[in-house]
């Protein structure tokens, strides 16, 4: 599993770098978004990935790797909104945003390690298209939970679904990034 942790860390590092640069450019304008709006942003990205996977056509030109990075970063933003939203001002410093990014990406890494142990790295034998479908399924679940005003009877909450989507997107990026090394 050390290889997975190393690859995971590299992917998150790249995502964090993009998050930090966009925070420098735009500030934390994303803080105005409700979690349902973040869910829809993730949905748009996942749906675009699926369309490109199904049609083989990419008319916009941005590759699906960029969309998976967007999914990861929007998931972290959503978790920040859920966990910290009411305690933060609308605009937070780039340093504070980076600290929160690190905090919640570490939570996601710990979750991945625990689940990866129990599932025996099954994701390595999965297709990127299946990971995309799992993200879309989780999005539909989140939308249903949001429509139920956050209430569930037996299921995990919204935050758990964001963490799963984040980790599925990291796994997809590991497949896409490290495939030439014969590791995924």
């Amino acid at each position: 599993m050390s290889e997975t942790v190393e690859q995971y860390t590299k992917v998150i590092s790249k995502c964090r770098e993009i998050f930090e640069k966009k925070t420098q450019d735009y500030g934390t304008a994303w803080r105005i978004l409700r979690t349902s709006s973040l869910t829809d942003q993730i949905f748009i990205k996942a749906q675009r990935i699926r369309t490109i996977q199904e049609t083989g056509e990419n008319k916009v030109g941005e590759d699906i790797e960029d969309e998976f990075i967007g999914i990861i970063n929007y998931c972290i933003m959503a978790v920040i909104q859920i966990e910290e939203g009411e305690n933060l001002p609308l605009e937070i410093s780039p340093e504070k945003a980076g600290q929160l990014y690190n905090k919640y990406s570490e939570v996601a890494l710990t979750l991945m390690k625990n689940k990866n142990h129990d599932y025996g790295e099954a994701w390595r034998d999965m297709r990127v298209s299946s990971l995309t479908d799992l993200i879309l399924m989780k999005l539909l679940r989140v939308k249903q939970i949001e429509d139920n005003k956050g209430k569930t009877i037996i299921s995990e909450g919204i935050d758990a679904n964001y963490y799963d989507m984040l980790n599925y997107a990291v796994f997809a990026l590991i497949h896409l990034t490290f495939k030439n090394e014969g590791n995924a």
Side-chain angles (χ1 to χ4, degrees), residues 2 15 18 63 81-82 91-92 105 109 123 137 145-146 156 176:
S2 63
C15 295
I18 291 168
D63 31 2
Q81 293 290 68
I82 290 168
E91 188 61 37
I92 55 178
S105 65
L109 173 62
W123 66 270
M137 179 192 66
I145 295 169
E146 289 170 345
E156 296 177 310
L176 294 167

Side-chain angles (χ1 to χ4, degrees), residues 142-161:
V142 168
K143 285 182 174 200
Q144 184 63 49
I145 295 169
E146 289 170 345
D147 290 346
N148 292 340
K149 308 221 181 314
K151 302 222 183 309
T152 59
I153 298 168
I154 194 170
S155 306
E156 296 177 310
I158 291 175
D159 58 337
N161 284 282

Side-chain angles (χ1 to χ4, degrees), residues 90-120:
L90 186 61
E91 188 61 37
I92 55 178
S93 70
E95 296 76 26
K96 178 68 173 173
Q99 290 168 359
L100 291 169
Y101 191 102
N102 292 340
K103 176 180 178 179
Y104 293 108
S105 65
E106 281 295 318
V107 171
L109 173 62
T110 300
L111 177 67
M112 183 280 295
K113 287 178 185 176
N114 292 339
K115 286 189 173 187
N116 208 30
H117 172 271
D118 289 356
Y119 288 97

